[in-house]
Structures are given as structure tokens and as C-alpha cells.
Amino acid sequence: MATTRTLTRRNAGWIALAVAGVLVAAALVIASIVASWRGEPLAAAPSPTPTATVEPTPTPTPTLIGPAADTTDYDLAGLPEITVFAVVPELPVDDDPFGGLTGVAARAAGAAVPVFAEPGAAPVASLPRDYYYDGTVVPVIEQYDAWVKVMLVGRQAYPSGGNSGQLTGWLRTQDVELTAQEALVEVSLGDRTVDIVRGGDRQRVAADFGSGVEATPTPLGRSFIMTVRTEPTFTYTRGNPITYLSVQSPTLDGFDGGDVAVTAFHYHDTRSGRVSNGCLRVDEAAAHALSTLPLGTPVIIRE
């Protein structure tokens, strides 16, 4: 049995150990505080995992909506057909003959489609998909969601009774096939040059040519290739192809007994200066180069 002195000694030992533990813990706390005051890190903090940045999806640039859509099913019976022989007073003449081009061509998706003088009105003519003298692939000069404004063959009036300039009209995009155009033709009457332009490439196909005299001038402004033909009876062409345009003479109601006076590129032995009834007389190489262009290719004639 332990004595009181023995218990007292044991208790004193346990107390000493406890006190020593407290002192050690206090020393650690003080050391941590001092380290904090000195600006020393207490412990290396784990680096946060970087969060991936999500880039916002760019909003596409909206296209011009333009005039409201018209989904009416029109009866085309009785409407005049847009051909080289057509005279349609209701359709406007091009009001911006040196305006821009869209680089797009339109063609009827069905056998024939309605042609409008302006969106929202009733159609005034029909454009066939196919016609013997072509003129059915037409350049787009304004493009919107539901409508395209195009150049057309035919005339608003004969020169003797009105304006025979380049005809225009509107088509519904729901009615047509749209395709990209690869080229355009630029003509300078002053410089006597004819260039085929494809993107940034310019091919000079004529450095001189014949054009209309004062009484029968070559029409200025934008038009397009209507059709390409070889006419053996036109002996002056010497069998070379003729590239007919959509625009007709500003002074002649008809030509050579016909009721049309179509402007064209064609070969002629006399082909320099103002010598023609309005056509553009070129050499053999130019006649063939121009004849290879797709129907509907825009042509711009400047003074």
C-alpha cells in the first residue's frame, strides 16, 4: 500500500509532464505568430485549379430582311412572258445603271415564275425557266431574305414611245435557284477596251473595237449576256460566235426587219471607232473569249 509521500511524488511527476506539454504547445503557437509577423508562410497553400475560360459564341451578322415575304400561289395564265421580244410597260427601267452587283444569278426553279414590279404588289409578268433565245438566267442586283431584284430581257417601251433601257423586276426567293457568278465584263468606250474580270484577275480581250455612231449609240450601263449563237447567214461575222446582251438600242425600235434591236459583241472586219448600229465589233479572239462566259454574266459599258 502506497504511502502519502509516494502519491504526492507521483502526482508531482504527472503535473510536471502536463506543464511541460503546455509549455511546448505555447512555444509552437508563439513561434507561429512570430513567423506570421515576419511575413514567413505558415504552410504552402495548395494552388487552385485554374478554371477553363469559355469563349462566347459569336453572334452571326444578320442579313438584310427586306420586304415582307409573299407566299401567294399566283395564276400566271394571261401574264406576258419575259423574253427578248417582250414589251412590259409595268416593269421599271434600271434606275441605277452603274450600280453594284451581288455576284449572284437567279433562274426560275419551276417552268415559270411570277415577276413583280415591286414587292407586295400583284405580278405583272412571268419568267420562264427555258426559252429558245435564253435570257432566263438573270443577275441579281439587290438581294433580301424573301426577294431579289434582277435585270431582265425585254423592254418597257420602244424608243419611239418611251424608255427602252435595261429592264428590271423582282422575283421571290422561294421561286428561284440562286447561283454564284464567276465573272463580269467591263467595257470602256473612251479607252476602247474590253476586259473580263474574275475576282482580282483582269483579262484584256480587246484593246480596240467598233461601237455605235451618234445616231445609234451603244447603250451605257449594266446589262448581261442573254445568249450566244453562231449565225451563218450573218456573213459579216465570218462564222464567229455572237454574244447577245439583254439591253437593246436606245434609238431603234427594230433592226433588219425585226421588232427587236439587241446589242451584241460580234466579229466584223471594220471594228475600230464609232462605226456600228450600236453593237460592239471585236476581233476573232475576243469574240470567242466572250462566247465562253456563262449566260447571265453581267456586262458594264461606260463612256
Side-chain angles (χ1 to χ4, degrees):
M1 186 173 178
T3 64
T4 302
R5 180 176 295 178
T6 301
L7 292 176
T8 300
R9 288 177 179 174
R10 289 178 180 175
N11 289 341
W14 286 114
I15 292 171
L17 288 174
V19 170
V22 170
L23 291 175
V24 170
L28 291 174
V29 171
I30 292 170
S32 297
I33 293 172
V34 170
S36 175
W37 287 348
R38 290 177 179 175
E40 298 174 2
L42 300 179
S47 300
T49 302
T51 303
T53 302
V54 179
E55 296 292 337
T57 302
T59 302
T61 303
T63 57
L64 291 176
I65 295 175
D70 176 1
T71 58
T72 305
D73 186 12
Y74 290 104
D75 182 4
L76 304 184
L79 292 177
E81 192 174 49
I82 295 296
T83 71
V84 63
F85 302 101
V87 178
V88 186
E90 295 84 1
L91 286 175
V93 170
D94 192 356
D95 60 358
D96 189 13
F98 297 100
L101 301 163
T102 65
V104 174
R107 187 183 184 190
V113 298
V115 179
F116 304 78
E118 60 183 30
V124 297
S126 67
L127 177 67
R129 177 175 176 83
D130 298 296
Y131 183 66
Y132 180 73
Y133 293 108
D134 298 313
T136 58
V137 178
V138 294
V140 174
I141 53 179
E142 291 184 35
Q143 184 175 7
Y144 302 99
D145 284 356
W147 296 89
V148 288
K149 186 179 182 181
V150 299
M151 291 187 278
L152 298 166
V153 298
R155 293 183 281 189
Q156 182 192 75
Y158 293 109
S160 60
N163 190 340
S164 64
Q166 175 61 56
L167 202 63
T168 65
W170 291 84
L171 307 175
R172 301 182 298 186
T173 55
Q174 69 191 47
D175 296 328
V176 297
E177 298 169 351
L178 299 176
T179 56
Q181 295 187 298
E182 67 174 50
L184 65 90
V185 180
E186 293 187 349
V187 179
S188 170
L189 299 182
D191 294 337
R192 318 306 295 176
T193 56
V194 179
D195 293 344
I196 297 174
V197 182
R198 294 181 175 90
D201 297 327
R202 181 177 294 269
Q203 176 191 2
R204 179 142 298 167
V205 296
D208 192 16
F209 58 84
S211 59
V213 300
E214 185 176 353
T216 55
T218 299
L220 301 176
R222 57 189 178 184
S223 60
F224 64 94
I225 295 177
M226 176 180 69
T227 194
V228 177
R229 295 180 175 275
T230 300
E231 298 290 347
T233 59
F234 296 170
T235 56
Y236 56 83
T237 66
R238 300 195 181 277
N240 290 294
I242 306 170
T243 299
Y244 291 92
L245 304 184
S246 59
V247 68
Q248 301 192 37
S249 171
T251 59
L252 299 173
D253 287 355
F255 182 73
D256 198 23
D259 56 359
V260 294
V262 180
T263 304
F265 291 102
H266 65 78
Y267 175 88
H268 200 287
D269 291 340
T270 305
R271 54 175 185 271
S272 182
R274 298 184 181 274
V275 293
S276 77
N277 291 302
C279 285
L280 298 157
R281 299 180 179 183
V282 295
D283 64 17
E284 184 175 6
H288 282 273
L290 292 163
S291 72
T292 64
L293 294 171
L295 301 183
T297 297
V299 176
I300 303 174
I301 304 175
R302 294 185 172 88
E303 189 58 73

